[in-house]
Amino acid sequence: MDRREFLIKSSQAAVASSLAGMRSEAQGKQSAKKSNILWLVADQMRGQALGINGDPNAHTPNIDRLSRSGINFQQARSGFPLCCPFRGTMLTSRYPHHMVPGHEYPLPAGQKTVANLFHDAGYHTGYFGKWHLGGFHESEGRATMYVVPPERRGGFKTWIGYENNNSPWDTWVHGGEGKDAFQYRLPGYESDSLTDLLIKYIHERAAEQKAGKGQPFFGVLSVEPSHNPYIAPPQFMSHYNAEQIKLRPNVPADETLPGKGPRVLGGRETIGEKSRQDLAGYYAQIENWDWNIGRIIETLTSLNLLDDTHIMIFADHGDTHGSHGQFLKTNPYEESVRIPMIVSGSEAFYDGHETGRPNVLFSAIDIAPTALGLCNVAIPDWMEGNDLSGHRLQSRPRPKNPDSVYLQNVIPTGHADSVNTPYRGIVTTDGWKYVCLPRQSWMMFNLIDDPYEQVNVAFNDGFKADRKRLLARLKQWVTDTGDTFELPES
């Protein structure tokens, strides 16, 4: 080695050592710092319905930007594509058969949630919007008027919400208790008004932090749109023409559903006509949601909080919108079970933050432990999910990637025109989906070769070896989670 080469290599080594030291120092600061965290939760927004995820109809510039500066988990699944079970799992990291098994079931009395854990770690906690864990049955009245008892609000210090509602311009929220209890009608479109409440909450927390007496905060904004009815404020509805909506290739556009056509399809419309009409409003709702997320980012930026705030954007489940001739949710098709999962905010691109699209399976069961991991809060043994925060923060441990995620419909949903039969299934890292009804194989798709799930090979013995392997893994899921479900023998 000559002198010039020696000097070059020595200089490179010094730079590398300096960078390593800077990174180690940054990670140490990151580990010690208590970051804020927000959950921004939509309802019935499928994972495909983002511009960043390739949907030609979607206009989501704010979510797309956050995706580019953060982590976009492309392989996120609902676990149980129905509101109440998902939300029970979201807050507790407990499987639905241990927590909230079906529609209109309550969060068990006394159950600890992620809010209790953040509170114990010194966080202020706030929840705004749809709850749907109070156990109210809508056969007894309108759910938005039902008052969730304070002891059933998940342990959040600030809670302004409602049980359930399908009328976004007539949403009633409540909160407080005793002489401080209140209930009132939101003044505008639900997503806009609830975002106003979260922004007010952020300003209050920022003022306390600036005064030196504040706490880091954990805030949840849970909106009903993009749930049906598919309507949004006029300025967003005007952006979408039903005739110009591009349908997914697995929508049988020219067919009609037999039997209950007038109730299911609104007359003798084709599946394609109904899908396009619904989707025009659906994408308007999603664009409105994206606009509100932009307002939240502007607020955090103006208060110098964005660098100190993790943001998780996701939904409880998707919506089939005519794919496979199906509408709404509860079924295990990708349009129903695949959800967006963006982990962003904080200091993007540097100080040990990862960006990109990891091919890592992420399920509802992983949301709470990942949030705790992002904020360096201890994760209790009673949580059943994985902490995947290491895919965002280099300072966090990165566990072995899950080889599969568990899909469930635990009990009959009680919904008409949907899959009402219990099932269990898995999606694997090598691209297979396998789903069983009680004692009967039902679906088996290779999602890599057949991403629109149009070739069901569950009954094709040319794939017998794959089916046997997938069934064995599904049996292991049933055993490992303490579930009770009768799978087929082979």
Side-chain angles (χ1 to χ4, degrees), residues 6 19 32 36 57 137 183 205 207 226 255 263 271 316 323 335 360 370 372 378 461 485 487:
F6 172 78
L19 288 174
N36 310 308
N57 306 293
H137 293 272
Q183 186 173 31
R205 305 284 74 76
S226 51
E255 297 182 16
R263 180 162 65 86
I271 290 174
D316 55 355
S323 291
E335 292 81 8
V360 176
T370 298
L372 294 168
D461 275 355
F485 187 82
L487 294 169

Side-chain angles (χ1 to χ4, degrees), residues 84-100:
C84 303
F86 175 92
R87 290 164 193 273
T89 296
M90 169 186 83
L91 290 170
T92 66
S93 186
R94 300 280 291 168
Y95 285 100
H97 58 279
H98 294 152
M99 190 54 47
V100 180

Side-chain angles (χ1 to χ4, degrees), residues 8 18 133 139 162 270 281 320 322 340 345-346 357 370 391 400 422 474:
I8 290 173
S18 176
L133 290 170
S139 60
Y162 63 88
T270 65
T320 45
S346 192
R357 300 185 176 198
T370 298
H391 291 282
K400 182 179 179 182
L474 182 54

Side-chain angles (χ1 to χ4, degrees), residues 179-196:
K179 64 180 179 60
D180 297 321
F182 58 85
Q183 186 173 31
Y184 64 91
R185 184 186 184 192
L186 292 177
Y189 187 70
E190 178 189 310
S191 299
D192 301 343
S193 294
L194 289 175
T195 301
D196 290 343

Side-chain angles (χ1 to χ4, degrees), residues 188-250:
Y189 187 70
E190 178 189 310
S191 299
D192 301 343
S193 294
L194 289 175
T195 301
D196 290 343
L197 292 176
L198 178 66
I199 287 174
K200 180 175 180 289
Y201 175 80
I202 293 171
H203 274 283
E204 291 169 349
R205 305 284 74 76
E208 291 177 353
Q209 290 182 6
K210 187 175 181 180
K213 57 181 180 181
Q215 304 167 273
F217 59 83
F218 167 48
V220 181
L221 175 59
S222 170
V223 301
E224 184 101 357
S226 51
H227 193 286
N228 52 300
Y230 307 109
I231 51 177
Q235 63 268 36
F236 297 99
M237 294 291 287
S238 67
H239 297 167
Y240 299 90
N241 183 326
E243 293 183 359
Q244 296 176 352
I245 295 292
K246 295 180 181 179
L247 299 177
R248 289 174 66 78
N250 54 15

Side-chain angles (χ1 to χ4, degrees), residues 30 37 71 73 310 312 343 352-354 362 366-377 379 386-399:
Q30 185 185 80
I37 184 164
I71 293 293
F73 285 96
H310 296 292
M312 297 178 69
V343 181
H353 287 69
E354 297 282 359
F362 195 120
D366 305 320
I367 293 172
T370 298
L372 294 168
L374 288 169
C375 297
N376 298 297
V377 176
I379 300 165
N386 296 302
D387 169 15
L388 299 178
S389 63
H391 291 282
R392 173 61 171 159
L393 300 180
Q394 294 173 356
S395 60
R396 295 292 301 172
R398 186 177 294 186

Side-chain angles (χ1 to χ4, degrees), residues 118-296:
F118 272 115
H119 178 271
D120 292 346
Y123 277 69
H124 195 289
T125 58
Y127 191 99
F128 304 89
K130 180 171 179 175
W131 184 243
H132 218 177
L133 290 170
F136 179 75
H137 293 272
E138 295 193 58
S139 60
E140 301 173 11
R142 191 173 171 211
T144 194
M145 305 306 297
Y146 170 71
V147 174
V148 178
E151 67 274 12
R152 288 193 172 273
R153 298 175 187 169
F156 286 88
K157 184 172 183 179
T158 296
W159 190 98
I160 304 175
Y162 63 88
E163 176 66 350
N164 190 30
N165 184 50
N166 291 300
S167 184
W169 271 284
D170 187 27
T171 306
W172 290 75
V173 295
H174 60 276
E177 57 182 300
K179 64 180 179 60
D180 297 321
F182 58 85
Q183 186 173 31
Y184 64 91
R185 184 186 184 192
L186 292 177
Y189 187 70
E190 178 189 310
S191 299
D192 301 343
S193 294
L194 289 175
T195 301
D196 290 343
L197 292 176
L198 178 66
I199 287 174
K200 180 175 180 289
Y201 175 80
I202 293 171
H203 274 283
E204 291 169 349
R205 305 284 74 76
E208 291 177 353
Q209 290 182 6
K210 187 175 181 180
K213 57 181 180 181
Q215 304 167 273
F217 59 83
F218 167 48
V220 181
L221 175 59
S222 170
V223 301
E224 184 101 357
S226 51
H227 193 286
N228 52 300
Y230 307 109
I231 51 177
Q235 63 268 36
F236 297 99
M237 294 291 287
S238 67
H239 297 167
Y240 299 90
N241 183 326
E243 293 183 359
Q244 296 176 352
I245 295 292
K246 295 180 181 179
L247 299 177
R248 289 174 66 78
N250 54 15
V251 177
D254 296 328
E255 297 182 16
T256 58
L257 291 179
K260 295 181 179 179
R263 180 162 65 86
V264 176
L265 292 177
R268 296 306 297 171
E269 302 175 278
T270 65
I271 290 174
E273 287 169 342
K274 174 174 172 56
S275 298
R276 288 189 176 92
Q277 287 292 333
D278 288 351
L279 284 166
Y282 184 72
Y283 287 115
Q285 290 177 313
I286 290 171
E287 184 178 347
N288 169 262
W289 176 228
D290 181 85
W291 175 74
N292 278 301
I293 288 175
R295 294 173 60 209
I296 294 166

